[in-house]
Amino acid sequence: LEWSHDLLDEEEKLLLHRLAVFSGGFDLAAVEAVCSGDGLEVAAVVDVLARLVEKSLLHAENLGRGRRYHLLQTVRLYALELLEAAGERGALAERHSRWALATAEREGGSPRLDREAPNLRAAHDSLLAREPQEALRYCVALSPFWLRRIDLQEGQRRLSESLAAAPERTALRATALLAMSATDYRAGDLARAEAHARESHDIATELADPQAEWRALQRLGEVAVGYDDAPSALRLLDSARELAEREGLDASQAVSVYSLGVARWLLGDLAGAEELLVESARSFRVLAGSAQRIVSPLNIAEMRSSAPSGQPGLRIVFEETLQPFVEISCDTAIGYVLANQATISRVRDELGRARGLLNEAGERFAQADDERGQADGLGRRAFLELAEGSHDRARQCPEHALQLRRG
């Protein structure tokens, strides 16, 4: 390695040393953001990378949309020693973590982040050691990533570490506590989800931040739904609705009205549930086209049961397809409302109306390129096809939904 290194020109040596800051692979854009400057121009990076590949010090893989690079571990360890000797390791680690933070905030829950998982972990370690507040901000940005991948233990651990390192009662902490609450909920720990949401609510109240206060109240209501505690859910969600109405938070109010419909469904009050869903859809239609974003609303899953009454048994559950905790537009929210109205119509044996509602919901999901919503609609369509006796079409729906879920 030393012999090969000595044959490199200065630009090649500089870039090779700096590439060691990456864990796993990296692409051209990442290298330009992290490794350029101080002797290496951005415009020169692509050429220097190519020369390192030609000299077998860097491996390149063509992935269709671009190249992905990585260093062999032996080369990386050698380059790290040289980076340390040059006194650049700390500065490069900071630039790497800044790049990772910007990437996480830009990509959110996109599958494109999956290939950066080793880099994301290394960046959090670096931020936690140097800037705990930024580590907390980073965890908030990565929360959708952990939830989508079901990396719940990692998410809980890194959020816990960052919350402990940054104990100040700030708006950022309130947001991070709700991210922790979502992760707890998906892990099945309702007690921890509730405790973190309550602390978030307390901080939001201290800061007189009505939007943050609403988010925490809304989450507490959703936790109550998860407990099958409809009376508590109705009380908390109605408090959230009242707060949103008082503060002029129109999109938030529509979400709470919708969630109250879910709680009514939990009580078996289908008429009351649909009335509230219709009201929320009306509000979302007024907001359609606006820039306002909301956290994906509670969704309703029907599970067949052998209830003595012979009526379909309904249970509200949180799963990735039902409460993915991602942001959506008000336009997309209409699709979720319509899909749930369709289920109510089907339970009432209004099959034609159910199909029409599902068709409209599907169109909205397709226009928004919301594959989660499309998959959810296909699950509901399978129940509808079964109700109409179309067993072959019913079997095709979950197969198509699975393909959408897998991307």
Side-chain angles (χ1 to χ4, degrees):
L1 271 178
E2 185 176 356
W3 178 79
S4 297
H5 177 267
D6 289 344
L7 294 177
L8 300 177
D9 65 29
E10 290 306 311
E11 281 188 328
E12 292 166 351
K13 288 178 180 178
L14 195 60
L15 183 55
L16 181 64
H17 303 171
R18 292 175 178 179
L19 291 176
V21 77
F22 289 102
S23 296
F26 44 88
D27 59 20
L28 174 61
V31 178
E32 290 175 337
V34 176
C35 300
S36 63
D38 297 325
L40 182 62
E41 297 296 325
V42 173
V45 167
V46 63
D47 183 56
V48 180
L49 280 173
R51 299 204 303 266
L52 290 174
V53 171
E54 289 175 0
K55 295 175 181 181
S56 301
L57 289 169
L58 183 65
H59 177 75
E61 180 182 7
N62 290 314
L63 298 176
R65 295 184 177 181
R67 278 188 158 192
R68 187 88 179 157
Y69 303 90
H70 73 263
L71 293 169
L72 293 176
Q73 187 64 5
T74 52
V75 176
R76 180 172 183 263
L77 292 174
Y78 178 71
L80 270 176
E81 291 179 3
L82 296 173
L83 187 66
E84 185 78 52
E88 283 197 318
R89 186 166 183 175
L92 263 291
E94 182 175 355
R95 293 173 67 174
H96 177 263
S97 60
R98 293 293 174 189
W99 162 79
L101 174 59
T103 301
E105 291 184 329
R106 183 180 66 250
E107 299 293 346
S110 169
R112 289 188 295 271
L113 272 184
D114 289 353
R115 63 188 183 183
E116 302 295 356
N119 282 310
L120 298 175
R121 296 187 187 104
H124 179 256
D125 293 338
S126 177
L127 284 171
L128 188 62
R130 295 182 294 102
E131 300 178 85
Q133 286 287 337
E134 289 297 270
L136 196 58
R137 173 184 163 192
Y138 185 56
C139 284
V140 170
L142 280 183
S143 180
F145 170 77
W146 291 320
L147 289 168
R148 182 184 57 79
R149 288 163 52 95
I150 322 296
D151 289 340
L152 304 180
Q153 289 186 340
E154 180 176 1
Q156 287 175 315
R157 177 176 63 82
R158 292 189 181 277
L159 275 162
S160 293
E161 291 171 346
S162 298
L163 284 165
E168 297 83 1
R169 293 173 74 79
T170 62
L172 176 60
R173 182 176 181 84
T175 301
L177 285 163
L178 281 187
M180 184 66 149
S181 173
T183 308
D184 293 334
Y185 203 119
R186 288 289 302 282
D189 193 338
L190 295 180
R192 277 171 54 91
E194 181 179 8
H196 285 125
R198 288 200 181 282
E199 185 182 348
S200 178
H201 181 261
D202 290 345
I203 293 173
T205 302
E206 292 169 13
L207 297 175
D209 184 338
Q211 184 68 73
E213 188 179 350
W214 173 84
R215 290 193 193 100
L217 271 176
Q218 177 71 21
R219 177 61 50 75
L220 287 167
E222 293 166 352
V223 170
V225 169
Y227 273 123
D228 286 348
D229 184 356
S232 293
L234 287 169
R235 174 178 55 79
L236 290 161
L237 293 169
D238 197 47
S239 295
R241 181 197 60 77
E242 289 177 352
L243 173 63
E245 182 178 18
R246 184 170 64 248
E247 298 293 338
L249 307 173
D250 296 337
S252 300
Q253 183 180 351
V255 173
S256 292
V257 170
Y258 171 92
S259 302
L260 283 165
V262 172
R264 283 290 171 192
W265 188 312
L266 185 62
L267 286 170
D269 179 7
L270 297 186
E274 180 164 28
E275 182 179 342
L276 288 161
L277 262 59
V278 169
E279 181 184 344
S280 70
R282 190 181 305 119
S283 297
F284 282 129
R285 288 182 193 278
V286 171
L287 295 166
S290 73
Q292 294 190 64
R293 307 280 292 179
I294 63 168
V295 174
S296 54
L298 277 168
N299 220 338
I300 301 169
E302 181 182 2
M303 299 176 66
R304 293 175 179 265
S305 73
S306 54
S309 64
Q311 296 298 313
L314 298 178
R315 173 175 168 75
I316 313 305
V317 294
F318 279 76
E319 295 177 358
E320 186 177 4
T321 51
L322 304 178
Q323 178 69 338
F325 299 106
V326 295
E327 286 193 345
I328 61 172
S329 68
C330 291
D331 301 68
T332 305
I334 298 169
Y336 284 101
V337 177
L338 293 170
N340 284 298
Q341 283 185 261
T343 299
I344 292 176
S345 295
R346 180 178 56 74
V347 170
R348 289 173 161 174
D349 206 30
E350 300 170 355
L351 304 186
R353 180 170 182 262
R355 187 172 293 279
L357 288 164
L358 279 178
N359 287 342
E360 185 180 351
E363 290 171 3
R364 288 186 174 275
F365 291 138
Q367 289 170 3
D369 198 25
D370 184 347
E371 293 185 343
R372 295 176 188 271
Q374 292 178 65
D376 174 70
L378 284 165
R380 297 171 190 278
R381 193 174 293 276
F383 276 102
L384 179 59
E385 299 293 358
L386 284 173
E388 293 183 336
S390 303
H391 296 278
D392 288 341
R393 286 201 295 269
R395 279 193 294 269
Q396 294 170 5
C397 290
E399 293 173 0
H400 187 194
L402 185 59
Q403 292 174 0
L404 287 169
R405 299 292 299 151
R406 290 175 173 171

